[in-house]
Each structure stands twice: as C-alpha cells, then as structure tokens.
C-alpha cells in the first residue's frame, strides 16, 4: 500500500502493469459488479471511457447522479473538482479518480485565499461560484451553479440582491447579459475555451455557410456574440439533435462530438479550430484518464478523493442550494 501511495504522489495514478490479454471492458464491468461501483463520465472523456460509463453527462447531470446513486463506490472519469463534488454530496461513499493530476485551469485561476480577500471588498454581495472550482472555494460560496443553470440561478434571486460571480469571467459575462444584472466578476478562464480562433472559425463558416456555429459559455464574449446557439455540453448535444441543420461547428472540448455523432450519425460535426498550431481542442486534464487507469483505480481502490469533514459540511450547503433550485425549476 505504501508503495502505491508514493506512486500516487509522484505520478498521480496507479501504474501497475496490466496483462495485455485482458479485455479491459469486461474486467471493468466485472469490477463494477464486485464492488457495487458506478462509473460516471463527463462528455469530455475519451470515447472508450464514455462507452463503458453507467452515466455520461454535463457537470449538473453528474452532480445529480452523484447525489442519488446507491452504489458504494463512485468512479469519476472526469476532473478533480467533479470528484470532490461527488464526495461532498455522498461523503459516506468511496470516490475514485483515475488520475489525481486531472485538474482544471479554470479552478486553478481562483485560489481560495485570494477569493476570500476579494469577497471582503463586497460585504453586501453574495458569492455564486461555478462548479469548476475547488471544494475550499465552494465552502466560501453561497450558491454553486453550472453552465446549464447559471442564468436561471441568478434569475431566481431578488433583483436587488448584489452578486459576486466566479471563477469564470466568460460565463459570468454571459450571465450578466442574459439576466441584465450587474455581477462583480472574478477574472478567471478556461485554457481550452479561450483558445478558439475567431479568424479560423470565420473562415470555416464561409466554407460551410449552412452550418450552425454552437459554443459553450466558457468561450470569450466575441466568439459567443457570433454563435447561433450557446449552451452547456448537455445543451449543445440537445441542440444538435433538435436543430434540422446537418452541419455544426462546435466550440467546446472535442470529446462531446462522440455523443453528437452517436445520436445523429448522419450529421457532420466540425471541431472549432484553436488559434495555435495544435489541430485539436482537447482538455489536457480531462484526457489524462485512460481505460487502463480506470481499470487500475477500480482494482486497487486508488486514487481516492477525500476531504476534511468541515470543508464537506461548508461546501455542501451551496451545492445543495443549487440542486434544490434546479429541481424547483425542472432543470
Ligand atoms: P459542462 O459539462 O457543465 O458544460 O462543463 C464544461 C466543462 O468545462 C467542464 O469542465
Ligand atoms: Fe477545466 Fe477547461 Fe478542462 Fe473544463 S475544459 S476541465 S474548464 S480546463
């Protein structure tokens, strides 16, 4: 066990050799039954992980599942803040994350001690934080939100309620426009969603004039202004199913295209190009998870995500508030 813990410190995951003759999908399914485990996966995961998940979803859907699952073990194929959220909602369960180094640049852009100082400057404001943040930051918040309910959560509060919104300035600005409210924004952003090239997207749109351009609200405002539709990953997926267009230019992490393609295989999905030489818009953190790491983490019950009891207690309230408002609004 100690050797594994040292390995986790350095590598972030269990790097035990795996018999190459094993069928990992079968083995993972066996481990799920044996351990009464549920595998939750975000839409940005590798297709082979999405395909063996018990539930695939956006951040809101995943936290709703984490809150209601009856499994003893939650294996979270996603990033660290998502596994933490699952632990906060189900503290009695074991929560496993295949690679502890699966972090988030947006979460990193808002250190809790600096946010606490920022909050002190606005004593008559409440703090709404996007779920892409640490458990410590959630513990400093009044309500948590995700990209699929941020507008409705802000709208559900009295008009004269003053609000600080963090850590994503792009989502915050989008909410500000949609609600007409003057939110105080923390200056954070996601490295994947800030990388799209307006110029290369405009070029693509002239090549595919009938294509719909769809974007996640973590994208920069100039890009959002040009979008035909803006939504969370689940919202984007739904739009591609319901909209009659047969071609979509998709400005978010490319993992979502797997589900879009599965739902409507006759349609064409073009990942929006980033402004660097790299031809892809993969999240380097989401893509740290592999089938091998999922297998090893289920076999060895490591790495486990745990949190101090006081953080769980304080971070739970703002998440539960979000879930309650979402349930009331039918989201
Ligand atoms: P949603 O799945 O809630 O749209 O969030 C996207 C994201 O960036 C998760 O890291
Ligand atoms: Fe974080 Fe951006 Fe990756 Fe989502 S896509 S996990 S916000 S770095």
């Amino acid at each position: 066990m100690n050797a594994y813990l040292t390995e986790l410190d350095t590598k972030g995951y269990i790097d035990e050799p795996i018999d190459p003759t094993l069928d990992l999908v079968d083995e993972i399914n066996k481990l799920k039954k044996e351990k009464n485990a549920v595998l939750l996966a975000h839409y940005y995961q590798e297709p082979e992980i999405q395909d063996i998940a018990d539930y695939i979803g956006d951040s809101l859907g995943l936290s709703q599942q984490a809150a209601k699952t009856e499994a003893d073990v939650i294996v979270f194929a996603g990033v660290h803040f998502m596994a933490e959220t699952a632990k906060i909602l189900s503290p009695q369960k074991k929560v496993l994350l295949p690679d502890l180094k699966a972090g988030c640049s947006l979460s990193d852009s808002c250190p809790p001690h600096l946010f606490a100082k920022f909050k002190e400057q606005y004593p008559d404001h409440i703090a709404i934080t996007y779920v892409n943040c640490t458990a410590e930051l959630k513990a400093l918040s009044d309500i948590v939100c995700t990209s699929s309910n941020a507008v409705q959560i802000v709208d559900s509060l009295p008009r004269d309620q003053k609000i600080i919104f963090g850590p994503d300035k792009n989502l915050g600005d989008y909410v500000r426009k949609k609600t007409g409210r003057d939110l105080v924004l923390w200056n954070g952003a996601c490295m994947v969603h800030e990388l799209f090239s307006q110029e290369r997207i405009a070029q693509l749109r002239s090549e595919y004039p009938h294509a719909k351009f769809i974007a996640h609200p973590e994208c920069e405002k100039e890009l959002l202004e040009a979008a035909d539709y803006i939504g969370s990953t689940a919202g984007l997926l739904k739009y591609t199913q319901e909209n009659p267009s047969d071609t979509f230019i998709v400005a978010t992490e490319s993992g979502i295209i797997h589900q879009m393609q599965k739902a409507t295989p006759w349609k064409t999905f073009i990942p929006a190009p980033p402004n660097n030489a790299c031809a892809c818009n993969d999240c380097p953190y989401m893509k740290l998870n592999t089938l091998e790491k999922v297998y090893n983490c289920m076999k060895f019950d490591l790495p486990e995500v745990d949190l101090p009891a006081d953080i769980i207690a304080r971070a739970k309230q703002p998440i539960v508030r979000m879930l309650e408002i979402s349930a009331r609004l039918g989201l």
Side-chain angles (χ1 to χ4, degrees):
M1 176 64 96
N2 280 346
Y4 290 141
L5 292 181
T6 314
E7 187 163 81
L8 287 183
D9 270 351
T10 52
K11 292 189 174 166
Y13 62 95
I14 298 290
D15 192 16
E16 279 297 293
I18 298 174
D19 175 354
T21 64
L22 282 185
D23 178 333
L24 285 188
V25 172
D26 279 356
E27 294 303 316
I28 290 171
N29 283 330
K30 271 190 227 155
L31 286 167
K32 277 193 214 169
K33 278 208 186 94
E34 214 176 276
K35 303 197 173 201
N36 189 24
V38 66
L39 177 59
L40 307 183
H42 188 265
Y43 287 129
Y44 296 164
Q45 291 295 288
E46 294 288 0
E48 57 184 8
I49 297 180
Q50 294 190 33
D51 289 345
I52 52 156
D54 298 296
Y55 178 84
I56 318 159
D58 69 353
S59 309
L60 177 61
L62 289 164
S63 42
Q64 287 165 333
Q65 290 297 318
K68 72 178 188 200
T69 181
E70 284 179 1
D72 295 316
V73 180
I74 299 174
V75 185
F76 217 116
V79 291
H80 200 271
F81 74 79
M82 295 179 169
E84 279 187 342
T85 306
K87 185 69 190 177
I88 293 163
L89 287 168
S90 291
Q92 72 291 0
K93 298 188 194 300
K94 183 180 287 219
V95 177
L96 302 173
L97 180 67
D99 190 327
L100 284 179
K101 295 201 174 167
C104 169
S105 64
L106 177 52
S107 177
D108 291 346
S109 69
C110 194
H113 69 285
L114 295 182
F115 190 76
K117 284 219 172 80
F118 180 69
K119 254 185 73 173
E120 279 169 18
Q121 296 170 45
Y122 303 97
D124 55 348
H125 288 53
I126 63 162
I128 300 186
T129 51
Y130 186 33
V131 70
N132 298 37
C133 66
T134 58
E136 285 94 326
L137 205 80
K138 291 181 177 80
L140 292 169
S141 312
D142 296 285
I143 315 180
V144 165
C145 70
T146 75
S147 56
S148 58
N149 61 19
V151 170
Q152 292 88 337
I153 285 189
V154 169
D155 257 342
S156 74
L157 300 170
R159 289 298 298 178
D160 58 352
Q161 175 63 64
K162 296 178 179 169
I163 301 168
I164 297 172
F165 189 94
D168 190 26
K169 64 174 182 202
N170 295 315
L171 176 64
D173 187 62
Y174 170 72
V175 174
R176 194 146 70 174
K177 284 210 183 77
K178 292 293 275 188
T179 60
R181 309 216 1 188
D182 187 22
L183 311 180
V184 177
L185 303 183
W186 176 267
N187 188 18
C190 155
M191 61 189 282
V192 178
H193 290 87
E194 285 228 307
L195 266 189
F196 293 112
S197 156
Q198 280 189 66
E199 219 180 307
R200 292 178 69 196
I201 290 170
Q203 170 69 31
L204 255 185
R205 293 187 83 177
S206 64
E207 285 168 35
Y208 298 90
H210 302 298
K212 293 286 180 203
F213 172 53
I214 61 175
H216 193 280
E218 285 176 22
C219 295
E220 287 178 311
K221 74 167 180 238
E222 294 74 16
L223 208 117
L224 295 180
E225 277 160 12
D228 294 306
Y229 177 77
I230 300 164
S232 73
T233 48
L236 297 175
L237 175 60
K238 189 159 179 265
Y239 181 80
T240 61
Q241 288 167 259
E242 291 174 353
N243 188 279
S245 180
D246 65 0
T247 308
F248 298 85
I249 299 169
V250 184
T252 191
E253 214 269 2
S254 51
I256 185 69
I257 289 180
H258 179 58
Q259 292 303 321
M260 292 175 171
Q261 203 73 73
K262 270 178 103 165
T264 50
W266 60 92
K267 296 190 179 185
T268 303
F269 302 98
I270 307 169
N275 59 16
N276 56 8
C278 158
C280 72
N281 39 37
D282 284 351
C283 169
Y285 301 106
M286 286 279 183
K287 295 302 199 262
L288 281 178
N289 295 323
T290 62
L291 215 50
E292 288 74 14
K293 289 180 190 172
V294 171
Y295 169 71
N296 267 341
C297 101
M298 291 181 76
K299 183 172 171 195
F300 296 97
D301 286 332
L302 286 169
E304 184 177 353
V305 171
D306 206 354
L307 288 162
D310 65 310
I311 293 284
I312 292 185
R314 287 193 291 128
K316 188 166 186 163
Q317 286 178 357
I319 304 173
V320 168
R321 259 178 224 133
M322 167 187 81
L323 293 175
E324 283 170 358
I325 298 172
S326 297
R328 205 169 61 231
L329 299 175
L331 302 169

